[in-house]
Amino acid sequence: MNVSQRLPMMKSLRTSLCERMFLMADETPIQVLKEPKRRPQSKSYVWVFRTGEDRGVPIILFNYAPTRKGANAADFLKDAPEGYFLMTDGYKGYNKVPDANRCACWAHIRRYWLRAIPKGHETDYTHPAVQGLLYCDKLFSYERTYKEKGLSVKQIYKRRLKDQEPVIDAFLAWLDGLTPKTGDSIIKAINYTNGCRPYLKNYLKDGACSLSNNLSENAIRPVVMGRKNWLFSDSQDGATASMIIYSMIETAKANDIDPEKYLEYLLESRPSAGSSDEELEQLAPWSKATREACAI
């Protein structure tokens, strides 16, 4: 287990995360100068694991790893409940994560079809790339309608089967009939979509599942923006410490408490290996005591 997972508060938050049935993940490269048997220019990675849109308290955790191997995600999520839902992009490394209903991000799929539209053909509805984009847009349009109506999870589940499953079935049948020419930019969209095909309909199994991985992309953005300023971590311990701080700050922000006050609160409380589960739970960003001490 990574050292960041052994620190009391990080371990407690990870335990809470791995009790949830709807999770999301993403990863982005960073540079760590001093890693055993690796050049300073080597790519290392930050992984973000967060809760989904199940209407529970949000938890956002960051984990440093030297590589992008899917085993890193599998290790972090090894205590997640069997049959949980994991929303990701099309990266094949997530296939290493066992016992999960992996869900494909329709925002990523949509992005590929959007990129395949030639300049000047954005409203050419006879162009296959435009048609592919419209299939994706239809799904997102239904999702917006559900949110506007304030539908329950159970109602969303039923409406998705009625509204969205036929759209996906029609999209896949249409996809199978495409015959692009060699070198056509649309081939990338076709290949990416087909690579996600085993997971395209898994979100239909529960109304609490998300249609996209946008929450994870938004969650990892502070690291992406931050590395433009701090550029690299000197050591593995430094990278780990940074990700712990990111985890505390972003989870605090997601729970609408002051992140600076929360860091001070944790430093003053000094949770240790001897802290009980109940004591650590009281220090979680969503606890009543924490919310009162760290109110914005």
Side-chain angles (χ1 to χ4, degrees):
M1 183 181 290
N2 185 290
V3 64
S4 69
Q5 299 170 37
R6 295 199 298 267
L7 294 173
M9 203 61 226
M10 191 72 175
K11 182 179 179 182
S12 179
L13 291 177
R14 177 180 169 274
T15 297
S16 296
L17 179 103
C18 288
E19 290 172 350
R20 303 282 281 275
M21 287 297 294
F22 303 94
L23 301 178
M24 298 176 158
D26 200 5
E27 75 291 331
T28 192
I30 61 167
Q31 187 176 4
V32 180
L33 300 183
K34 298 173 183 174
E35 291 178 315
K37 299 180 181 180
R38 302 188 81 204
R39 298 173 66 237
Q41 297 84 0
S42 299
K43 275 188 180 181
S44 301
Y45 282 84
V46 168
W47 299 72
V48 65
F49 302 96
R50 63 157 298 151
T51 49
E53 297 179 279
D54 58 358
R55 307 184 186 186
V57 295
I59 305 172
I60 303 172
L61 302 182
F62 297 84
N63 193 57
Y64 149 74
T67 70
R68 199 188 180 199
K69 291 181 180 179
N72 294 306
D75 178 62
F76 197 92
L77 298 173
K78 65 184 179 182
D79 297 320
E82 185 176 350
Y84 72 101
F85 293 85
L86 179 64
M87 169 59 71
T88 71
D89 58 22
Y91 174 46
K92 293 181 180 179
Y94 291 108
N95 293 339
K96 297 287 186 180
V97 181
D99 304 324
N101 281 301
R102 186 175 165 194
C103 302
C105 173
W106 277 92
H108 275 81
I109 294 167
R110 180 187 183 278
R111 208 169 293 159
Y112 271 83
W113 289 98
L114 179 62
R115 290 171 181 165
I117 300 174
K119 188 175 181 179
H121 288 261
E122 291 81 3
T123 57
D124 178 4
Y125 300 114
T126 65
H127 195 284
V130 176
Q131 294 171 357
L133 180 68
L134 290 175
Y135 276 111
C136 298
D137 284 347
K138 190 66 176 175
L139 299 179
F140 284 96
S141 176
Y142 278 127
E143 288 294 309
R144 285 193 296 272
T145 300
Y146 304 157
K147 289 183 178 180
E148 289 168 0
K149 292 182 177 180
L151 299 186
S152 68
V153 169
K154 186 175 182 180
Q155 288 172 322
I156 291 173
Y157 167 72
K158 291 181 178 179
R159 287 294 299 271
R160 280 176 172 172
L161 292 180
K162 178 177 181 291
D163 301 332
Q164 297 188 36
E165 188 169 29
V167 174
I168 297 174
D169 289 339
F171 173 58
L172 294 178
W174 167 83
L175 187 67
D176 289 337
L178 289 182
T179 55
K181 298 177 182 178
T182 302
D184 196 330
S185 61
I186 205 170
I187 291 176
K188 288 184 179 180
I190 294 172
N191 289 343
Y192 186 84
T193 304
N194 281 330
C196 296
R197 193 179 281 243
Y199 321 112
L200 290 180
K201 295 174 72 171
N202 279 347
Y203 80 99
L204 297 173
K205 295 178 181 179
D206 197 296
C209 282
S210 302
L211 181 65
S212 78
N213 200 35
N214 285 345
L215 285 182
S216 285
E217 287 197 335
N218 291 336
I220 209 165
R221 189 166 289 127
V223 174
V224 174
M225 298 302 293
R227 71 185 175 208
K228 294 181 180 180
N229 296 314
W230 45 260
L231 301 180
F232 54 81
S233 291
D234 183 62
S235 66
Q236 291 181 304
D237 286 347
T240 294
S242 296
M243 293 312 112
I244 293 170
I245 294 171
Y246 269 109
S247 298
M248 300 305 149
I249 288 175
E250 295 305 316
T251 300
K253 286 163 60 178
N255 282 275
D256 298 318
I257 62 173
D258 188 305
E260 184 176 351
K261 289 182 180 178
Y262 185 55
L263 290 179
E264 292 175 354
Y265 185 63
L266 289 177
L267 290 171
E268 291 169 357
S269 302
R270 287 185 291 183
S272 67
S275 299
S276 66
D277 292 342
E278 292 74 18
E279 289 171 329
L280 293 171
E281 180 66 23
Q282 285 301 305
L283 295 176
W286 52 84
S287 78
K288 182 178 179 182
T290 300
R291 297 187 69 78
E292 289 176 351
C294 305
I296 297 175

PDB file of all heavy atoms in Angstrom, residues 164-194:
ATOM      1  N   GLN A 164     -32.853   6.613 -23.468  1.00  0.00           N
ATOM      2  CA  GLN A 164     -31.469   6.598 -23.921  1.00  0.00           C
ATOM      3  C   GLN A 164     -30.996   5.266 -24.504  1.00  0.00           C
ATOM      4  O   GLN A 164     -30.175   5.258 -25.433  1.00  0.00           O
ATOM      5  CB  GLN A 164     -30.544   7.003 -22.764  1.00  0.00           C
ATOM      6  CG  GLN A 164     -30.804   8.419 -22.276  1.00  0.00           C
ATOM      7  CD  GLN A 164     -29.781   8.877 -21.269  1.00  0.00           C
ATOM      8  OE1 GLN A 164     -28.603   8.545 -21.356  1.00  0.00           O
ATOM      9  NE2 GLN A 164     -30.216   9.652 -20.279  1.00  0.00           N
ATOM     10  N   GLU A 165     -31.486   4.153 -23.968  1.00  0.00           N
ATOM     11  CA  GLU A 165     -31.025   2.875 -24.510  1.00  0.00           C
ATOM     12  C   GLU A 165     -31.322   2.744 -25.998  1.00  0.00           C
ATOM     13  O   GLU A 165     -30.456   2.294 -26.761  1.00  0.00           O
ATOM     14  CB  GLU A 165     -31.616   1.700 -23.731  1.00  0.00           C
ATOM     15  CG  GLU A 165     -31.009   0.368 -24.152  1.00  0.00           C
ATOM     16  CD  GLU A 165     -31.383  -0.773 -23.225  1.00  0.00           C
ATOM     17  OE1 GLU A 165     -32.481  -0.725 -22.625  1.00  0.00           O
ATOM     18  OE2 GLU A 165     -30.580  -1.716 -23.105  1.00  0.00           O
ATOM     19  N   PRO A 166     -32.512   3.158 -26.470  1.00  0.00           N
ATOM     20  CA  PRO A 166     -32.756   3.087 -27.928  1.00  0.00           C
ATOM     21  C   PRO A 166     -31.798   3.974 -28.727  1.00  0.00           C
ATOM     22  O   PRO A 166     -31.421   3.616 -29.847  1.00  0.00           O
ATOM     23  CB  PRO A 166     -34.197   3.578 -28.062  1.00  0.00           C
ATOM     24  CG  PRO A 166     -34.826   3.296 -26.739  1.00  0.00           C
ATOM     25  CD  PRO A 166     -33.733   3.533 -25.733  1.00  0.00           C
ATOM     26  N   VAL A 167     -31.389   5.112 -28.157  1.00  0.00           N
ATOM     27  CA  VAL A 167     -30.455   5.997 -28.846  1.00  0.00           C
ATOM     28  C   VAL A 167     -29.095   5.308 -28.998  1.00  0.00           C
ATOM     29  O   VAL A 167     -28.475   5.349 -30.070  1.00  0.00           O
ATOM     30  CB  VAL A 167     -30.287   7.331 -28.081  1.00  0.00           C
ATOM     31  CG1 VAL A 167     -29.203   8.191 -28.739  1.00  0.00           C
ATOM     32  CG2 VAL A 167     -31.606   8.092 -28.034  1.00  0.00           C
ATOM     33  N   ILE A 168     -28.646   4.651 -27.922  1.00  0.00           N
ATOM     34  CA  ILE A 168     -27.356   3.956 -27.969  1.00  0.00           C
ATOM     35  C   ILE A 168     -27.404   2.798 -28.954  1.00  0.00           C
ATOM     36  O   ILE A 168     -26.466   2.586 -29.739  1.00  0.00           O
ATOM     37  CB  ILE A 168     -26.955   3.460 -26.566  1.00  0.00           C
ATOM     38  CG1 ILE A 168     -26.776   4.649 -25.621  1.00  0.00           C
ATOM     39  CG2 ILE A 168     -25.664   2.642 -26.630  1.00  0.00           C
ATOM     40  CD1 ILE A 168     -26.528   4.259 -24.173  1.00  0.00           C
ATOM     41  N   ASP A 169     -28.499   2.046 -28.920  1.00  0.00           N
ATOM     42  CA  ASP A 169     -28.640   0.913 -29.847  1.00  0.00           C
ATOM     43  C   ASP A 169     -28.608   1.398 -31.298  1.00  0.00           C
ATOM     44  O   ASP A 169     -27.956   0.789 -32.166  1.00  0.00           O
ATOM     45  CB  ASP A 169     -29.944   0.162 -29.577  1.00  0.00           C
ATOM     46  CG  ASP A 169     -29.901  -0.625 -28.274  1.00  0.00           C
ATOM     47  OD1 ASP A 169     -28.780  -0.909 -27.793  1.00  0.00           O
ATOM     48  OD2 ASP A 169     -30.978  -0.945 -27.727  1.00  0.00           O
ATOM     49  N   ALA A 170     -29.296   2.505 -31.564  1.00  0.00           N
ATOM     50  CA  ALA A 170     -29.316   3.058 -32.925  1.00  0.00           C
ATOM     51  C   ALA A 170     -27.924   3.579 -33.310  1.00  0.00           C
ATOM     52  O   ALA A 170     -27.476   3.397 -34.455  1.00  0.00           O
ATOM     53  CB  ALA A 170     -30.343   4.185 -33.005  1.00  0.00           C
ATOM     54  N   PHE A 171     -27.245   4.189 -32.365  1.00  0.00           N
ATOM     55  CA  PHE A 171     -25.900   4.715 -32.602  1.00  0.00           C
ATOM     56  C   PHE A 171     -24.939   3.586 -32.972  1.00  0.00           C
ATOM     57  O   PHE A 171     -24.168   3.698 -33.940  1.00  0.00           O
ATOM     58  CB  PHE A 171     -25.428   5.437 -31.337  1.00  0.00           C
ATOM     59  CG  PHE A 171     -23.997   5.899 -31.363  1.00  0.00           C
ATOM     60  CD1 PHE A 171     -23.540   6.758 -32.352  1.00  0.00           C
ATOM     61  CD2 PHE A 171     -23.105   5.486 -30.385  1.00  0.00           C
ATOM     62  CE1 PHE A 171     -22.224   7.204 -32.368  1.00  0.00           C
ATOM     63  CE2 PHE A 171     -21.793   5.923 -30.392  1.00  0.00           C
ATOM     64  CZ  PHE A 171     -21.347   6.779 -31.385  1.00  0.00           C
ATOM     65  N   LEU A 172     -24.995   2.476 -32.229  1.00  0.00           N
ATOM     66  CA  LEU A 172     -24.085   1.365 -32.493  1.00  0.00           C
ATOM     67  C   LEU A 172     -24.407   0.675 -33.820  1.00  0.00           C
ATOM     68  O   LEU A 172     -23.495   0.248 -34.539  1.00  0.00           O
ATOM     69  CB  LEU A 172     -24.140   0.366 -31.334  1.00  0.00           C
ATOM     70  CG  LEU A 172     -23.619   0.891 -29.988  1.00  0.00           C
ATOM     71  CD1 LEU A 172     -23.762  -0.159 -28.901  1.00  0.00           C
ATOM     72  CD2 LEU A 172     -22.167   1.337 -30.107  1.00  0.00           C
ATOM     73  N   ALA A 173     -25.685   0.565 -34.131  1.00  0.00           N
ATOM     74  CA  ALA A 173     -26.068  -0.024 -35.421  1.00  0.00           C
ATOM     75  C   ALA A 173     -25.583   0.876 -36.558  1.00  0.00           C
ATOM     76  O   ALA A 173     -25.073   0.384 -37.588  1.00  0.00           O
ATOM     77  CB  ALA A 173     -27.587  -0.191 -35.487  1.00  0.00           C
ATOM     78  N   TRP A 174     -25.736   2.174 -36.392  1.00  0.00           N
ATOM     79  CA  TRP A 174     -25.247   3.136 -37.390  1.00  0.00           C
ATOM     80  C   TRP A 174     -23.730   3.050 -37.511  1.00  0.00           C
ATOM     81  O   TRP A 174     -23.185   3.068 -38.616  1.00  0.00           O
ATOM     82  CB  TRP A 174     -25.693   4.534 -36.969  1.00  0.00           C
ATOM     83  CG  TRP A 174     -25.032   5.659 -37.697  1.00  0.00           C
ATOM     84  CD1 TRP A 174     -25.383   6.177 -38.917  1.00  0.00           C
ATOM     85  CD2 TRP A 174     -23.895   6.419 -37.249  1.00  0.00           C
ATOM     86  NE1 TRP A 174     -24.534   7.216 -39.253  1.00  0.00           N
ATOM     87  CE2 TRP A 174     -23.616   7.387 -38.244  1.00  0.00           C
ATOM     88  CE3 TRP A 174     -23.105   6.381 -36.107  1.00  0.00           C
ATOM     89  CZ2 TRP A 174     -22.571   8.295 -38.133  1.00  0.00           C
ATOM     90  CZ3 TRP A 174     -22.060   7.284 -35.987  1.00  0.00           C
ATOM     91  CH2 TRP A 174     -21.798   8.229 -36.993  1.00  0.00           C
ATOM     92  N   LEU A 175     -23.046   2.926 -36.370  1.00  0.00           N
ATOM     93  CA  LEU A 175     -21.591   2.845 -36.351  1.00  0.00           C
ATOM     94  C   LEU A 175     -21.090   1.632 -37.137  1.00  0.00           C
ATOM     95  O   LEU A 175     -20.111   1.718 -37.888  1.00  0.00           O
ATOM     96  CB  LEU A 175     -21.099   2.766 -34.901  1.00  0.00           C
ATOM     97  CG  LEU A 175     -19.603   2.835 -34.647  1.00  0.00           C
ATOM     98  CD1 LEU A 175     -19.070   4.221 -35.001  1.00  0.00           C
ATOM     99  CD2 LEU A 175     -19.300   2.521 -33.184  1.00  0.00           C
ATOM    100  N   ASP A 176     -21.785   0.506 -36.970  1.00  0.00           N
ATOM    101  CA  ASP A 176     -21.392  -0.719 -37.669  1.00  0.00           C
ATOM    102  C   ASP A 176     -21.519  -0.589 -39.183  1.00  0.00           C
ATOM    103  O   ASP A 176     -20.873  -1.329 -39.931  1.00  0.00           O
ATOM    104  CB  ASP A 176     -22.238  -1.901 -37.181  1.00  0.00           C
ATOM    105  CG  ASP A 176     -21.875  -2.320 -35.765  1.00  0.00           C
ATOM    106  OD1 ASP A 176     -20.746  -2.034 -35.328  1.00  0.00           O
ATOM    107  OD2 ASP A 176     -22.728  -2.925 -35.078  1.00  0.00           O
ATOM    108  N   GLY A 177     -22.353   0.342 -39.619  1.00  0.00           N
ATOM    109  CA  GLY A 177     -22.571   0.510 -41.052  1.00  0.00           C
ATOM    110  C   GLY A 177     -21.643   1.508 -41.717  1.00  0.00           C
ATOM    111  O   GLY A 177     -21.685   1.666 -42.940  1.00  0.00           O
ATOM    112  N   LEU A 178     -20.791   2.163 -40.932  1.00  0.00           N
ATOM    113  CA  LEU A 178     -19.875   3.150 -41.502  1.00  0.00           C
ATOM    114  C   LEU A 178     -18.740   2.469 -42.268  1.00  0.00           C
ATOM    115  O   LEU A 178     -18.222   1.444 -41.837  1.00  0.00           O
ATOM    116  CB  LEU A 178     -19.280   4.034 -40.397  1.00  0.00           C
ATOM    117  CG  LEU A 178     -20.219   5.036 -39.724  1.00  0.00           C
ATOM    118  CD1 LEU A 178     -19.433   5.849 -38.692  1.00  0.00           C
ATOM    119  CD2 LEU A 178     -20.859   5.972 -40.737  1.00  0.00           C
ATOM    120  N   THR A 179     -18.366   3.065 -43.376  1.00  0.00           N
ATOM    121  CA  THR A 179     -17.241   2.550 -44.181  1.00  0.00           C
ATOM    122  C   THR A 179     -16.311   3.714 -44.543  1.00  0.00           C
ATOM    123  O   THR A 179     -16.272   4.147 -45.705  1.00  0.00           O
ATOM    124  CB  THR A 179     -17.742   1.857 -45.457  1.00  0.00           C
ATOM    125  OG1 THR A 179     -18.581   2.790 -46.173  1.00  0.00           O
ATOM    126  CG2 THR A 179     -18.530   0.603 -45.125  1.00  0.00           C
ATOM    127  N   PRO A 180     -15.569   4.217 -43.568  1.00  0.00           N
ATOM    128  CA  PRO A 180     -14.694   5.367 -43.836  1.00  0.00           C
ATOM    129  C   PRO A 180     -13.523   4.986 -44.735  1.00  0.00           C
ATOM    130  O   PRO A 180     -13.103   3.836 -44.786  1.00  0.00           O
ATOM    131  CB  PRO A 180     -14.202   5.764 -42.440  1.00  0.00           C
ATOM    132  CG  PRO A 180     -14.233   4.478 -41.677  1.00  0.00           C
ATOM    133  CD  PRO A 180     -15.446   3.737 -42.182  1.00  0.00           C
ATOM    134  N   LYS A 181     -13.004   5.974 -45.422  1.00  0.00           N
ATOM    135  CA  LYS A 181     -11.843   5.760 -46.282  1.00  0.00           C
ATOM    136  C   LYS A 181     -10.566   5.787 -45.446  1.00  0.00           C
ATOM    137  O   LYS A 181     -10.517   6.396 -44.384  1.00  0.00           O
ATOM    138  CB  LYS A 181     -11.788   6.849 -47.355  1.00  0.00           C
ATOM    139  CG  LYS A 181     -12.984   6.875 -48.290  1.00  0.00           C
ATOM    140  CD  LYS A 181     -12.875   8.029 -49.276  1.00  0.00           C
ATOM    141  CE  LYS A 181     -14.092   8.084 -50.176  1.00  0.00           C
ATOM    142  NZ  LYS A 181     -14.031   9.245 -51.111  1.00  0.00           N
ATOM    143  N   THR A 182      -9.538   5.124 -45.927  1.00  0.00           N
ATOM    144  CA  THR A 182      -8.240   5.132 -45.248  1.00  0.00           C
ATOM    145  C   THR A 182      -7.758   6.567 -45.071  1.00  0.00           C
ATOM    146  O   THR A 182      -7.806   7.364 -46.011  1.00  0.00           O
ATOM    147  CB  THR A 182      -7.202   4.333 -46.061  1.00  0.00           C
ATOM    148  OG1 THR A 182      -7.675   3.006 -46.237  1.00  0.00           O
ATOM    149  CG2 THR A 182      -5.861   4.300 -45.323  1.00  0.00           C
ATOM    150  N   GLY A 183      -7.317   6.874 -43.877  1.00  0.00           N
ATOM    151  CA  GLY A 183      -6.820   8.214 -43.611  1.00  0.00           C
ATOM    152  C   GLY A 183      -7.894   9.190 -43.172  1.00  0.00           C
ATOM    153  O   GLY A 183      -7.595  10.320 -42.793  1.00  0.00           O
ATOM    154  N   ASP A 184      -9.144   8.780 -43.222  1.00  0.00           N
ATOM    155  CA  ASP A 184     -10.240   9.642 -42.787  1.00  0.00           C
ATOM    156  C   ASP A 184     -10.113   9.891 -41.289  1.00  0.00           C
ATOM    157  O   ASP A 184      -9.927   8.959 -40.504  1.00  0.00           O
ATOM    158  CB  ASP A 184     -11.574   8.958 -43.106  1.00  0.00           C
ATOM    159  CG  ASP A 184     -12.750   9.922 -43.052  1.00  0.00           C
ATOM    160  OD1 ASP A 184     -12.667  10.887 -42.276  1.00  0.00           O
ATOM    161  OD2 ASP A 184     -13.729   9.702 -43.774  1.00  0.00           O
ATOM    162  N   SER A 185     -10.254  11.150 -40.864  1.00  0.00           N
ATOM    163  CA  SER A 185     -10.113  11.493 -39.451  1.00  0.00           C
ATOM    164  C   SER A 185     -11.195  10.844 -38.595  1.00  0.00           C
ATOM    165  O   SER A 185     -11.038  10.717 -37.380  1.00  0.00           O
ATOM    166  CB  SER A 185     -10.159  13.016 -39.277  1.00  0.00           C
ATOM    167  OG  SER A 185     -11.406  13.534 -39.727  1.00  0.00           O
ATOM    168  N   ILE A 186     -12.257  10.430 -39.235  1.00  0.00           N
ATOM    169  CA  ILE A 186     -13.352   9.822 -38.496  1.00  0.00           C
ATOM    170  C   ILE A 186     -12.975   8.436 -37.948  1.00  0.00           C
ATOM    171  O   ILE A 186     -13.612   7.928 -37.025  1.00  0.00           O
ATOM    172  CB  ILE A 186     -14.611   9.729 -39.394  1.00  0.00           C
ATOM    173  CG1 ILE A 186     -15.876   9.702 -38.528  1.00  0.00           C
ATOM    174  CG2 ILE A 186     -14.568   8.514 -40.297  1.00  0.00           C
ATOM    175  CD1 ILE A 186     -17.142   9.868 -39.348  1.00  0.00           C
ATOM    176  N   ILE A 187     -11.927   7.835 -38.492  1.00  0.00           N
ATOM    177  CA  ILE A 187     -11.490   6.513 -38.040  1.00  0.00           C
ATOM    178  C   ILE A 187     -11.118   6.544 -36.553  1.00  0.00           C
ATOM    179  O   ILE A 187     -11.395   5.594 -35.816  1.00  0.00           O
ATOM    180  CB  ILE A 187     -10.315   5.998 -38.897  1.00  0.00           C
ATOM    181  CG1 ILE A 187     -10.803   5.690 -40.318  1.00  0.00           C
ATOM    182  CG2 ILE A 187      -9.673   4.768 -38.279  1.00  0.00           C
ATOM    183  CD1 ILE A 187      -9.717   5.272 -41.268  1.00  0.00           C
ATOM    184  N   LYS A 188     -10.498   7.636 -36.103  1.00  0.00           N
ATOM    185  CA  LYS A 188     -10.142   7.748 -34.689  1.00  0.00           C
ATOM    186  C   LYS A 188     -11.384   7.712 -33.805  1.00  0.00           C
ATOM    187  O   LYS A 188     -11.394   7.074 -32.748  1.00  0.00           O
ATOM    188  CB  LYS A 188      -9.361   9.041 -34.438  1.00  0.00           C
ATOM    189  CG  LYS A 188      -7.951   9.042 -34.990  1.00  0.00           C
ATOM    190  CD  LYS A 188      -7.221  10.327 -34.612  1.00  0.00           C
ATOM    191  CE  LYS A 188      -5.795  10.324 -35.147  1.00  0.00           C
ATOM    192  NZ  LYS A 188      -5.092  11.586 -34.777  1.00  0.00           N
ATOM    193  N   ALA A 189     -12.428   8.394 -34.237  1.00  0.00           N
ATOM    194  CA  ALA A 189     -13.681   8.399 -33.471  1.00  0.00           C
ATOM    195  C   ALA A 189     -14.305   7.010 -33.436  1.00  0.00           C
ATOM    196  O   ALA A 189     -14.800   6.557 -32.397  1.00  0.00           O
ATOM    197  CB  ALA A 189     -14.655   9.409 -34.066  1.00  0.00           C
ATOM    198  N   ILE A 190     -14.254   6.335 -34.580  1.00  0.00           N
ATOM    199  CA  ILE A 190     -14.811   4.978 -34.653  1.00  0.00           C
ATOM    200  C   ILE A 190     -14.028   4.036 -33.746  1.00  0.00           C
ATOM    201  O   ILE A 190     -14.614   3.272 -32.969  1.00  0.00           O
ATOM    202  CB  ILE A 190     -14.791   4.465 -36.105  1.00  0.00           C
ATOM    203  CG1 ILE A 190     -15.735   5.288 -36.973  1.00  0.00           C
ATOM    204  CG2 ILE A 190     -15.162   2.986 -36.171  1.00  0.00           C
ATOM    205  CD1 ILE A 190     -15.633   4.980 -38.459  1.00  0.00           C
ATOM    206  N   ASN A 191     -12.709   4.086 -33.834  1.00  0.00           N
ATOM    207  CA  ASN A 191     -11.878   3.180 -33.039  1.00  0.00           C
ATOM    208  C   ASN A 191     -12.026   3.444 -31.546  1.00  0.00           C
ATOM    209  O   ASN A 191     -12.075   2.506 -30.737  1.00  0.00           O
ATOM    210  CB  ASN A 191     -10.415   3.319 -33.451  1.00  0.00           C
ATOM    211  CG  ASN A 191     -10.141   2.737 -34.825  1.00  0.00           C
ATOM    212  OD1 ASN A 191     -10.935   1.958 -35.346  1.00  0.00           O
ATOM    213  ND2 ASN A 191      -9.021   3.117 -35.434  1.00  0.00           N
ATOM    214  N   TYR A 192     -12.077   4.715 -31.155  1.00  0.00           N
ATOM    215  CA  TYR A 192     -12.227   5.030 -29.733  1.00  0.00           C
ATOM    216  C   TYR A 192     -13.574   4.534 -29.205  1.00  0.00           C
ATOM    217  O   TYR A 192     -13.657   3.914 -28.142  1.00  0.00           O
ATOM    218  CB  TYR A 192     -12.107   6.536 -29.492  1.00  0.00           C
ATOM    219  CG  TYR A 192     -12.122   6.898 -28.027  1.00  0.00           C
ATOM    220  CD1 TYR A 192     -10.953   6.854 -27.265  1.00  0.00           C
ATOM    221  CD2 TYR A 192     -13.308   7.239 -27.382  1.00  0.00           C
ATOM    222  CE1 TYR A 192     -10.962   7.159 -25.913  1.00  0.00           C
ATOM    223  CE2 TYR A 192     -13.330   7.538 -26.038  1.00  0.00           C
ATOM    224  CZ  TYR A 192     -12.156   7.503 -25.302  1.00  0.00           C
ATOM    225  OH  TYR A 192     -12.187   7.788 -23.956  1.00  0.00           O
ATOM    226  N   THR A 193     -14.623   4.785 -29.989  1.00  0.00           N
ATOM    227  CA  THR A 193     -15.961   4.342 -29.580  1.00  0.00           C
ATOM    228  C   THR A 193     -16.025   2.827 -29.475  1.00  0.00           C
ATOM    229  O   THR A 193     -16.567   2.285 -28.507  1.00  0.00           O
ATOM    230  CB  THR A 193     -17.023   4.851 -30.569  1.00  0.00           C
ATOM    231  OG1 THR A 193     -16.930   6.271 -30.681  1.00  0.00           O
ATOM    232  CG2 THR A 193     -18.419   4.482 -30.090  1.00  0.00           C
ATOM    233  N   ASN A 194     -15.465   2.133 -30.464  1.00  0.00           N
ATOM    234  CA  ASN A 194     -15.480   0.674 -30.418  1.00  0.00           C
ATOM    235  C   ASN A 194     -14.666   0.131 -29.250  1.00  0.00           C
ATOM    236  O   ASN A 194     -15.012  -0.908 -28.667  1.00  0.00           O
ATOM    237  CB  ASN A 194     -14.964   0.100 -31.737  1.00  0.00           C
ATOM    238  CG  ASN A 194     -16.015   0.132 -32.845  1.00  0.00           C
ATOM    239  OD1 ASN A 194     -17.212   0.052 -32.566  1.00  0.00           O
ATOM    240  ND2 ASN A 194     -15.578   0.252 -34.089  1.00  0.00           N
TER     241      ASN A 194
END
